[in-house]
Amino acid sequence: DDECPVCVGAMTKFMDTLTKDDKKKLETIEDKFQEFCDKISEGKDAKFCYYTTGASSLKREISKPLQAGLPAERICKKLGKVDNAICELVYQKKLSFDPATLDEEDVKKKKVKELRKMLSEVNVECVGCAEKEDFVKKVMSLKTKTEL
């Protein structure tokens, strides 16, 4: 389940850095978490670290359930109840194509299924599309849209 994707991603990476001994003391977990976050300078993981180690430190909310052996998903669900912004963080999706470089000839060669997939990647619906031609036009319209 994709609840709190950035939190789960960052927590999983962090938990992979801990040894069994690290997990025995709350202070050790908290210190290691701070070290882990200090190494991250950009992206959504950095934002997650800002939320959890900043002014309203949530390190204890992380270290206690982690020490008890809870999985990242459960820890993040709890953090989300304390600060719902944590669960609102999502990673930027990587597209399988670049809308700016779409070539009409290449698009025309694709199957309707592929065209539908391209549209769904950018959350565009092709309302009223019946023929392949309609899907090609809609996909090509992505090229002119710069707000992607």
Side-chain angles (χ1 to χ4, degrees):
D1 96 88
D2 287 344
E3 238 179 308
C4 311
V6 174
C7 177
V8 172
M11 284 302 297
T12 304
K13 285 179 219 162
F14 168 62
M15 289 161 86
D16 288 345
T17 68
L18 295 175
T19 65
K20 249 188 184 142
D21 282 344
D22 289 340
K23 293 178 187 173
K24 287 179 183 167
K25 286 185 72 183
L26 294 175
E27 290 77 15
T28 307
I29 294 171
E30 290 162 15
D31 291 345
K32 296 271 185 181
F33 186 69
Q34 187 65 56
E35 285 172 30
F36 171 80
C37 279
D38 288 346
K39 292 178 191 157
I40 300 170
S41 59
E42 56 189 35
K44 300 294 180 177
D45 287 355
K47 192 89 149 194
F48 167 73
C49 282
Y50 171 76
Y51 289 153
T52 51
T53 63
S56 61
S57 176
L58 298 172
K59 288 187 219 165
R60 194 52 49 116
E61 277 80 4
I62 290 170
S63 60
K64 271 189 166 170
L66 202 154
Q67 186 185 40
L70 289 180
E73 292 79 7
R74 291 270 306 278
I75 295 171
C76 290
K77 208 173 250 185
K78 285 183 174 201
L79 289 174
K81 285 179 182 153
V82 177
D83 182 354
N84 63 353
I86 288 171
C87 284
E88 288 166 7
L89 289 172
V90 289
Y91 292 114
Q92 184 89 38
K93 263 201 276 180
K94 295 263 190 277
L95 299 178
S96 64
F97 67 100
D98 179 6
T101 61
L102 287 173
D103 175 55
E104 193 159 0
E105 291 307 306
D106 291 339
V107 173
K108 283 179 177 174
K109 291 176 190 169
K110 294 187 181 298
K111 293 179 176 165
V112 172
K113 186 177 179 179
E114 291 176 86
L115 299 174
R116 277 199 176 116
K117 184 180 178 288
M118 291 168 76
L119 291 171
S120 77
E121 277 185 50
V122 290
N123 296 319
V124 172
E125 282 189 45
C126 198
V127 180
C129 292
E131 301 294 322
K132 180 176 177 176
E133 199 176 301
D134 301 327
F135 286 98
V136 171
K137 277 185 191 157
K138 193 70 171 181
V139 169
M140 288 311 298
S141 75
L142 299 175
K143 189 173 184 169
T144 56
K145 287 185 182 174
T146 50
E147 68 268 48
L148 287 173

